[in-house]
């Protein structure tokens, strides 16, 4: 019976070894970091820049069903969603739900 699941076991162990050990080492090392250090400001800035780059790529060069939407709809949903995110006190759930709702409404309105 275990022979049937051997592939999944190898994938799970390899995935654990490749990622989770480094995460735990990061947690251990992170407890000793000063949150106000210049290095941590730099790490936050790089992480934010990477997230924004991926978001911009998804908006400007989408794939899948999003590629069938007009650019003005994607830009409008992102812009309005970001504005509402800021107005509501930077609530992430609102910042995700509003652009999704606008995209869905826009797709329904243009008939895609």
């Amino acid at each position: 019976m275990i022979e049937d699941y051997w592939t999944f076991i190898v994938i799970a162990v390899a995935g654990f070894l490749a990622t989770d050990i480094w995460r735990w080492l990061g947690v251990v090392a992170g407890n000793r970091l000063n949150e106000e250090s210049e290095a941590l400001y730099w790490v936050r800035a790089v992480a934010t820049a990477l997230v924004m780059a991926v978001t911009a790529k998804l908006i400007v060069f989408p794939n899948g069903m999003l590629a069938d939407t007009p650019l003005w709809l994607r830009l409008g949903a992102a812009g309005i969603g970001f504005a509402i995110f800021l107005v509501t006190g930077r609530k992430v759930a609102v910042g995700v739900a509003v652009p999704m709702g606008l995209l869905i409404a826009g797709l329904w309105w243009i008939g895609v």
Side-chain angles (χ1 to χ4, degrees):
M1 172 143 171
I2 196 155
E3 294 83 24
D4 297 335
Y5 297 103
W6 182 247
T7 304
F8 299 112
I9 293 170
V10 170
I11 291 171
V13 170
F16 172 79
L17 292 175
T19 60
D20 286 353
I21 289 175
W22 298 109
R23 290 178 187 168
W24 284 105
L25 287 173
V27 168
V28 170
N31 287 332
R32 298 181 184 154
L33 290 176
N34 178 7
E35 291 186 26
E36 301 300 321
S37 70
E38 290 293 321
L40 214 49
Y41 282 136
W42 181 81
V43 169
R44 285 186 195 131
V46 170
T48 302
L50 287 171
V51 169
M52 290 297 96
V54 170
T55 303
K57 183 182 180 293
L58 287 172
I59 292 171
V60 178
F61 303 110
N63 54 19
M65 186 175 178
L66 200 56
D68 297 334
T69 62
L71 180 62
W72 63 265
L73 179 60
R74 296 188 306 265
L75 289 172
I80 293 169
F82 182 66
I84 293 176
F85 165 78
L86 292 176
V87 168
T88 59
R90 297 183 177 202
K91 294 186 191 281
V92 175
V94 173
V96 172
V98 169
M100 285 178 54
L102 290 172
L103 278 173
I104 291 168
L107 288 172
W108 176 78
W109 185 65
I110 63 174
V112 173

